[in-house]
C-alpha cells in the first residue's frame, strides 16, 4: 500500500518504520529534517511537501495536539487537491477538532478515520500498540493491514470518528488518576518512614498488578522521570481534553480538576518536559518531602 506519513516524533518514528518493514511504500514528511533522514535510511522516501503526501492512497498522521493538526493538515487547499482515499489521524485530539476535521474531509471527498493509539514510544517501535479506531467500517477494513503492522490489536469503537478520541481521552484520564493515586500513597508512606519502593513492590505484587501501577509506580518511587516516554505537558493537554469532553456532554469529572491543577503546578515548577509521572513531585512538595530521598 502507498502511504504518506506525517509526524515523526517519538511515536511516529517507530510506527512509520514498522510500515516500511511490513513492505509498504512509505513517503514521510516532518517539520524537522532529522527524523526524515532516519526513516529514509530505513527504506522510506521523502515527501517534498504535504501535497505529495496526500497523493498517496492512504495518509497516516500523528501530531502532538489540536493546534498542530489544524495548522499542518486542515488546509482546504491541501484537501481539495488530495488524491488519497482516506486520512487516518492517529493523534489524541479533541472531539470538536475531530468532528470539524471529518466534516472538512467529507466536503472534499476524502475519508477520515480517527485511530489514536495506546502505548508509549517503546511499544510503538515494537509494533505492539493498541489502536482505537472509529469511522466508516469499510475504510477501517481498507487500512487494517497498516494497523496490523503498527499494532497488536485494533479496537473498533463506532462509526463516528470522535468516538475513538473519546475512548483514548478516557483512557489517558484514567492513567493520570492512577499516577496521582500512586504518588499520594507513596508520599504518605515516605512521611511515615516507609520506603516508596517497598510500598510499590508490595502493592504491584498483590492488589494492583499490571503495567500501569508497576511501571509508573516504580518511576514515582525512584523519582525517575527521564527520558520522558510521555511528556508532562502532553498529560495536561489530555486532562484538559477530558474535562472539555465531559463538560460538553454534561458529565462531571471532579477529580479531573484536581489533576489539572497538579499538572499546572508541575509545569510552573519547570517539569513540562519530564515524564508525566513527575506530577508526583507536586505531591511531595505539598507534603514537605521534596528535599528528602525515597
Amino acid at each position: 500500500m502507498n502511504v504518506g506519513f506525517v509526524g515523526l516524533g517519538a511515536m511516529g518514528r517507530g510506527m512509520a518504520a514498522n510500515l516500511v518493514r511490513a513492505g509498504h511504500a512509505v513517503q514521510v514528511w516532518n517539520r524537522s529534517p532529522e527524523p526524515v533522514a532516519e526513516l529514509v535510511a530505513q527504506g522510506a522516501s521523502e515527501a517534498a511537501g504535504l501535497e505529495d503526501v496526500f497523493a498517496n492512497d492512504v495518509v497516516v498522521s500523528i501530531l502532538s495536539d489540536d493546534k498542530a493538526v489544524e495548522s499542518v493538515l486542515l488546509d482546504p487547499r491541501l484537501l481539495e487537491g488530495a488524491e488519497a482515499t482516506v486520512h487516518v489521524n492517529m493523534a489524541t485530539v479533541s472531539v470538536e477538532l475531530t468532528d470539524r476535521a471529518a466534516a472538512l474531509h467529507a466536503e472534499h471527498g476524502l475519508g477520515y478515520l480517527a485511530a489514536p493509539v495506546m502505548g508509549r514510544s517503546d511499544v510503538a517501535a515494537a509494533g505492539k500498540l493498541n489502536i482505537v479506531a472509529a469511522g466508516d467500517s469499510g475504510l477501517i477494513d481498507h487500512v487494517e493491514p497498516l494497523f496490523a503492522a503498527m499494532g497488536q490489536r485494533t479496537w473498533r469503537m463506532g462509526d463516528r470518528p470522535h468516538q475513538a478520541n473519546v475512548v483514548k481521552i478516557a483512557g489517558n484520564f484514567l492513567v493520570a488518576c492512577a499516577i496521582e493515586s500512586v504518588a499520594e500513597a507513596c508520599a504518605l508512606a515516605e512521611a511515615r518512614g516507609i520506603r516508596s519502593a517497598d510500598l510499590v513492590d508490595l502493592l504491584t505484587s498483590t492488589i494492583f498488578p499490571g503495567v500501569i501501577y508497576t511501571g509508573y509506580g516504580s518511576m514515582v518511587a525512584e523519582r525517575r522521570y527521564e527520558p520522558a516516554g510521555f511528556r508532562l505537558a502532553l498529560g495536561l493537554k489530555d486532562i484538559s481534553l477530558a474535562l472539555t469532553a465531559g463538560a460538553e456532554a454534561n458529565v462531571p469529572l471532579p477529580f479531573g480538576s484536581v489533576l489539572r491543577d497538579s499538572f499546572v503546578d508541575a509545569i510552573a515548577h519547570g517539569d513540562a518536559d519530564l515524564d508525566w509521572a513527575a506530577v508526583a513531585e507536586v505531591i511531595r512538595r505539598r507534603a514537605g518531602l521534596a528535599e528528602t530521598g525515597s
Side-chain angles (χ1 to χ4, degrees):
M1 194 175 293
N2 293 325
V3 183
F5 198 102
V6 178
L8 299 176
M11 297 293 291
R13 284 196 296 272
M15 294 163 68
N18 283 322
L19 292 176
V20 172
R21 281 192 285 271
H24 299 287
V26 181
Q27 189 177 49
V28 295
W29 185 93
N30 195 65
R31 284 179 287 191
S32 57
E34 294 82 4
V36 172
E38 178 184 322
L39 265 295
V40 169
Q42 296 179 52
S45 61
E46 180 178 359
L50 288 169
E51 294 79 7
D52 289 345
V53 170
F54 277 80
N56 289 278
D57 177 40
V58 177
V59 175
V60 175
S61 66
I62 181 162
L63 299 173
S64 58
D65 54 24
D66 283 30
K67 182 178 179 180
V69 171
E70 180 145 30
S71 64
V72 174
L73 298 173
L74 298 190
D75 181 350
R77 292 170 298 179
L78 174 66
L79 300 180
E80 183 178 8
E83 299 174 29
T85 301
V86 58
H87 172 200
V88 184
N89 186 354
M90 305 188 78
T92 302
V93 294
S94 70
V95 171
E96 186 276 332
L97 180 78
T98 303
D99 287 342
R100 189 152 45 86
L104 185 60
H105 281 66
E107 182 182 329
H108 294 285
L110 178 60
Y112 183 88
L113 296 175
V117 299
M118 291 186 169
R120 290 160 69 100
S121 57
D122 57 335
V123 178
K128 299 296 184 181
L129 294 167
N130 280 282
I131 298 172
V132 183
D136 182 89
S137 60
L139 291 177
I140 297 177
D141 290 341
H142 180 60
V143 301
E144 181 58 43
L146 305 181
F147 290 163
M150 294 184 286
Q152 61 180 325
R153 179 170 175 179
T154 300
W155 301 79
R156 300 191 183 207
M157 289 295 165
D159 58 5
R160 290 172 289 170
H162 77 242
Q163 291 172 309
N165 286 109
V166 171
V167 170
K168 176 59 191 300
I169 290 166
N172 275 13
F173 175 71
L174 192 57
V175 173
C177 290
I179 295 171
E180 174 79 12
S181 64
V182 167
E184 292 184 18
C186 285
L188 174 61
E190 185 179 333
R192 292 293 183 172
I194 301 162
R195 293 180 67 248
S196 297
D198 291 340
L199 175 68
V200 169
D201 185 29
L202 168 66
L203 296 180
T204 58
S205 298
T206 54
I207 57 176
F208 290 118
V211 63
I212 296 300
Y213 284 102
T214 300
Y216 285 113
S218 64
M219 293 172 71
V220 169
E222 299 167 17
R223 303 176 71 181
R224 173 171 45 84
Y225 311 125
E226 294 179 292
F230 188 68
R231 293 191 305 112
L232 198 145
L234 293 177
L236 175 60
K237 177 207 74 169
D238 287 356
I239 292 164
S240 299
L241 290 178
L243 287 167
T244 299
E248 291 171 347
N250 296 318
V251 176
L253 298 172
F255 198 55
S257 297
V258 174
L259 287 169
R260 179 184 56 200
D261 287 350
S262 291
F263 275 72
V264 169
D265 188 326
I267 290 172
H269 282 82
D271 294 341
D273 292 325
L274 298 181
D275 193 277
W276 66 337
V279 72
E281 294 302 302
V282 174
I283 309 305
R284 300 184 82 257
R285 282 193 296 271
R286 291 171 180 168
L289 301 170
E291 301 306 322
T292 64
S294 59

